[in-house]
Amino acid sequence: MTETLKQRLVCLANEYETASFCDNDPSQFLRWYDFSRIADVECASFIAAMLAFGARTQFLPKIRAILQTADEASGSISAWLAEGAYKTSFLHGAKKFYRFYSYDDMQSFFSELASVLEQAVTPGEFFRKKYNESECPLPELIASAFPESRLVPKGKNCANKRIHMFLRWMVRRSSPVDLGLWTWILPSDLLIPLDVHVLQEAVRMELLPPNASATRKTAERLTAAMNEVFPGDPARADFALFGLGVAATGLRI
């Protein structure tokens, strides 16, 4: 990688990793609740991450509707889940809630997230305990906590972009976007969230081969390359590549 390209990536990250990045991004929901309410922050963030695919104009209102429903019914998302209020205040049925996920799919997702809260005060504490007790990679541990939920991506060979985006939100420190709540994981352990925009820009910059696809192996390869540019914090490249891709299209897919 040339020094010119490295400098360009750093400049792009500096340009896009700002507080205003959240304005039209699912990361806006990281700050829906006050940081003194960590369970609410983490639950809202996880729900936002799992629904963050497709057009922003479609999924942002869906995420907002869930959090507003929870607030109206129980005062917060963690209370809504823990009390089981989602069972009565959120619809059931085969009708689609968003894209190919039905209201019943969402009920299954809420139920398994509620189960996480039954076992720990916050999702982060639940996953920290599981991580300390297992040699399984954290993304796989997260997916395994939702065995019945179609909404949570699974598969050892998949890029699992939404889980890695959630982890970026939770782990990266000193960012105007990411929260850095999970101090028990290092930013250097993160994989870059590999979505269409990131993949396309990485290919265009010849950071990946033209035939690259959205797999875990590709995400690992790109992350290793980005560690040369952002030592110890390779996921910061998500802002550079994703920001550039979104600026060109105006959509998140």
Side-chain angles (χ1 to χ4, degrees):
M1 190 186 313
T2 66
E3 287 301 317
T4 299
L5 180 53
K6 289 181 181 180
Q7 291 174 10
R8 186 182 181 212
L9 288 165
V10 170
C11 288
L12 286 168
N14 291 340
E15 178 181 353
Y16 290 112
E17 191 182 8
T18 64
S20 63
F21 181 89
C22 301
D23 291 347
N24 295 301
D25 187 76
S27 56
Q28 65 186 260
F29 298 106
L30 276 59
R31 293 164 177 80
W32 185 275
Y33 296 100
D34 185 89
F35 286 176
S36 64
R37 302 162 65 176
I38 297 301
D40 290 322
V41 173
E42 292 183 355
C43 288
S45 300
F46 190 69
I47 291 168
M50 294 306 103
L51 284 168
F53 66 97
R56 294 182 185 189
T57 54
Q58 295 178 8
F59 70 71
L60 291 177
K62 295 295 185 180
I63 299 166
R64 189 174 297 109
I66 292 171
L67 299 182
Q68 289 174 339
T69 298
D71 289 351
E72 291 170 4
S74 302
S76 77
I77 188 67
S78 66
W80 189 65
L81 293 165
E83 296 168 0
Y86 62 89
K87 298 175 184 178
T88 55
S89 61
F90 197 85
L91 294 178
H92 294 251
K95 181 180 178 180
K96 294 296 184 285
F97 171 71
Y98 177 58
R99 298 285 288 269
F100 22 80
Y101 298 118
S102 69
Y103 282 91
D104 280 348
D105 288 329
M106 297 306 299
Q107 286 285 344
S108 176
F109 172 63
F110 295 145
S111 177
E112 291 187 317
L113 186 52
S115 178
V116 167
L117 290 177
E118 288 178 2
Q119 300 173 67
V121 176
T122 69
E125 182 62 15
F126 174 85
F127 292 121
R128 184 188 66 79
K129 291 179 180 178
K130 292 291 185 181
Y131 185 69
N132 289 339
E133 295 169 356
S134 172
E135 296 182 357
C136 186
L138 183 55
E140 293 178 23
L141 282 176
I142 292 174
S144 69
F146 299 86
E148 303 300 324
S149 176
R150 296 178 59 237
L151 190 62
V152 179
K154 302 171 182 69
K156 295 181 180 180
N157 298 321
C158 300
N160 290 342
K161 182 267 297 188
R162 284 174 279 162
I163 288 180
H164 289 292
M165 181 173 67
F166 172 70
L167 288 173
R168 198 204 81 203
W169 290 348
M170 294 297 104
V171 174
R172 289 192 65 250
R173 285 79 147 149
S174 303
S175 170
V177 179
D178 303 326
L179 300 181
L181 298 176
W182 294 7
T183 57
W184 43 276
I185 294 290
L186 295 174
S188 58
D189 293 331
L190 298 176
L191 283 185
I192 190 168
L194 190 64
D195 75 346
V196 171
H197 295 302
V198 171
L199 183 62
Q200 288 179 342
E201 293 301 324
V203 169
R204 190 174 64 80
M205 292 182 180
E206 298 183 351
L207 297 166
L208 293 172
N211 63 344
S213 57
T215 64
R216 179 180 175 85
K217 185 175 181 180
T218 301
E220 290 173 344
R221 178 173 180 173
L222 181 59
T223 300
M226 292 301 93
N227 197 49
E228 296 180 28
V229 185
F230 306 102
D233 188 20
R236 187 171 189 239
D238 189 28
F239 290 99
L241 297 171
F242 173 73
L244 186 62
V246 163
T249 65
L251 297 172
R252 183 161 199 166
I253 298 174

